[in-house]
């Protein structure tokens, strides 16, 4: 029995606290409404107690009217809240739809871009595969040409010592240089610039009973070339050191070989101008012809590696058919240069 009463008390306390919390959470308007209802109820009770039925009826009518007004007001507020909630839901739905469309558009764009990139990559790989195959084929052809040129060089020349390694000219270039020397059989050959290619040219000139004079502005390179010539026993080749001096050509100044080192050179049948070994970085042919053009023998040939080669080199020289490798021969139109 005592336990049952205790349970009832606890329930009553919880309900009392719940109602108290609700009352404390009421707004001023709600408190005013509660006060009006309580006042009206109290008035009805007092009027009924003192036998004032008319007053009690009037107060009861006013109380009902107030309650009805409160219900209408509450209904209108609930309606406004409902409408605002529906508007918020519509706005949220619009935002979600717009976001969904943007996401779908972005995904579609990325999908198309990925497809394009995949296609480009596939085409690039296919093109690279074709180019790789073609490049390998071209490389094999080039290597075959170089091997053939090297074999032909050793068929023409029998060296007395090991040929120098690290040649700046490949076998095709050497073949073109040796070919023009064999074909022309020059009595006097002048080469501007020395190096391992001088050995090949020296053997060719020696076999034709000629003389080779080489000028080089690099003293160290000239010394190394002399040592190679001595090793191969090429006594018909002379290497001269010609330091760099300023030369006036066609109204301008260029760095070129010291002309004093070229004294005594006349009736030059073959002039080799190697632009890669010249003191000037460009147009090595113009100063060479300016100094040595008047010393060329009738029917002489000038071999130059410049690109592009001028059609007219001066002194009646005209570009002829290109030689094997990177050389081009300039000669008198009446002179024949076979390639």
């Amino acid at each position: 029995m005592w336990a049952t009463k205790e349970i009832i008390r606890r329930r009553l306390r919880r309900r009392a606290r719940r109602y108290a919390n609700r009352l404390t959470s009421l707004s001023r308007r709600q408190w005013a409404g509660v006060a009006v209802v309580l006042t009206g109820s109290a008035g009805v009770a007092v009027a009924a107690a003192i036998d004032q039925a008319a007053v009690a009826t009037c107060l009861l009518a006013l109380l009902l009217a107030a309650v009805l007004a409160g219900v209408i007001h509450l209904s209108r507020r609930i309606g406004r809240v409902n409408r605002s909630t529906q508007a918020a839901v519509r706005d949220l739905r619009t935002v979600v739809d717009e976001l969904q469309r943007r996401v779908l558009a972005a995904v579609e764009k990325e999908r198309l871009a990925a497809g394009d990139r995949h296609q480009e990559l596939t085409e690039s790989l296919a093109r690279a595969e074709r180019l790789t195959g073609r490049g390998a084929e071209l490389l094999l052809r080039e290597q075959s040409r170089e091997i053939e040129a090297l074999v032909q060089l050793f068929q023409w020349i029998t060296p007395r010592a090991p040929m120098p390694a690290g040649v700046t000219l490949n076998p095709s270039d050497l073949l073109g240089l040796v070919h023009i020397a064999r074909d022309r059989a020059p009595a006097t050959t002048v080469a501007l610039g020395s190096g391992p290619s001088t050995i090949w040219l020296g053997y060719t000139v020696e076999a034709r009973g000629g003389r080779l004079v080489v000028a080089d502005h690099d003293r160290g390179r000239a010394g190394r070339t002399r040592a190679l010539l001595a090793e191969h026993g090429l006594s018909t080749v002379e290497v001269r050191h010609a330091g760099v001096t300023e030369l006036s050509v066609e109204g301008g100044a260029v760095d070129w070989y010291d002309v004093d080192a070229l004294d005594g050179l006349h009736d030059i049948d073959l002039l080799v101008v190697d632009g890669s070994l010249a003191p000037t970085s460009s147009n090595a042919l113009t100063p060479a012809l300016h100094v040595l053009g008047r010393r060329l023998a009738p029917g002489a040939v000038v071999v130059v590696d410049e690109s592009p080669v001028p059609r007219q080199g001066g002194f009646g020289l005209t570009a002829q058919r290109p030689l094997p490798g990177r050389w081009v021969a300039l000669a008198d139109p009446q002179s024949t240069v076979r390639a």
Side-chain angles (χ1 to χ4, degrees):
M1 187 68 180
W2 181 83
T4 303
K5 291 181 179 180
E6 185 64 24
I7 292 173
I8 293 173
R9 290 194 192 97
R10 289 179 180 176
R11 289 180 178 177
L12 292 175
R13 289 194 196 99
R14 284 198 296 269
R15 289 184 179 181
R17 283 196 297 270
R18 191 182 305 163
Y19 292 145
N21 291 332
R22 289 181 179 178
L23 290 175
T24 55
S25 62
L26 294 178
S27 63
R28 291 183 179 181
R29 289 185 179 182
Q30 291 173 341
W31 273 112
V34 171
V36 170
V37 171
L38 291 177
T39 303
S41 300
V44 171
V46 171
I50 60 176
D51 294 331
Q52 296 291 330
V55 175
T57 302
C58 291
L59 291 175
L60 184 59
L62 291 174
L63 181 61
L64 292 175
V67 171
L68 181 60
V71 170
I72 294 173
H73 177 70
L74 181 61
S75 176
R76 293 181 62 183
R77 288 197 62 182
I78 292 174
R80 286 197 298 270
V81 171
N82 186 33
R83 287 192 296 271
S84 62
T85 302
Q86 291 178 354
V89 170
R90 286 194 299 270
D91 294 340
L92 180 60
R93 185 176 299 170
T94 302
V95 172
V96 171
D97 292 341
E98 181 66 21
L99 181 61
Q100 184 178 6
R101 285 194 296 270
R102 290 184 179 181
V103 170
L104 291 177
V107 171
E108 182 67 16
K109 183 178 179 180
E110 289 297 326
R111 187 185 68 82
L112 294 176
D116 294 339
R117 288 195 295 269
H118 180 268
Q119 184 176 359
E120 292 176 359
L121 181 60
T122 303
E123 293 176 355
S124 299
L125 290 175
R127 185 165 55 252
E129 185 177 356
R130 291 194 301 269
L131 291 177
T132 301
R134 184 180 179 185
E137 182 180 355
L138 293 176
L139 181 60
L140 289 175
R141 290 181 181 178
E142 183 178 355
Q143 289 179 345
S144 299
R145 284 196 300 268
E146 297 302 325
I147 293 174
E148 292 173 359
L150 189 60
V151 171
Q152 191 170 355
L153 283 171
F154 279 104
Q155 287 177 346
W156 288 349
I157 296 174
T158 302
R160 292 184 287 270
M163 297 301 283
V167 182
T168 56
L169 300 178
N170 56 39
S172 295
D173 296 333
L174 290 173
L175 182 63
L177 196 60
V178 170
H179 167 74
I180 189 66
R182 282 171 52 88
D183 180 65
R184 304 294 295 184
T188 301
T189 301
V190 175
L192 301 179
S194 69
S197 59
T198 306
I199 309 303
W200 294 92
L201 190 58
Y203 273 111
T204 306
V205 171
E206 181 188 59
R208 290 294 189 265
R211 170 194 179 205
L212 173 61
V213 179
V214 181
D216 201 322
H217 67 281
D218 189 323
R219 187 182 298 274
R221 187 167 56 203
R224 291 190 295 272
T225 303
R226 290 193 190 98
L228 287 173
L229 292 171
E231 183 179 353
H232 286 265
L234 294 171
S235 58
T236 58
V237 182
E238 177 187 359
V239 179
R240 299 182 182 183
H241 173 252
V244 179
T245 59
E246 190 175 87
L247 179 67
S248 178
V249 179
E250 298 179 354
V254 297
D255 292 333
W256 206 67
Y257 301 97
D258 186 0
V259 295
D260 293 337
L262 303 177
D263 287 343
L265 297 178
H266 299 282
D267 297 327
I268 301 172
D269 299 297
L270 177 62
L271 175 61
V272 180
V273 182
D274 192 342
S276 63
L277 301 176
T280 180
S281 59
S282 62
N283 194 13
L285 178 62
T286 300
L289 292 180
H290 178 78
V291 176
L292 300 175
R294 294 180 179 84
R295 307 184 192 183
L296 296 176
V301 176
V302 178
V303 177
V304 63
D305 68 338
E306 287 187 341
S307 179
V309 176
R311 295 183 60 84
Q312 294 291 337
F315 298 94
L317 300 177
T318 305
Q320 304 294 311
R321 183 177 178 181
L323 300 172
R326 59 185 175 91
W327 303 102
V328 174
L330 299 176
D332 188 278
Q334 303 300 325
S335 177
T336 303
V337 179
R338 294 189 298 270

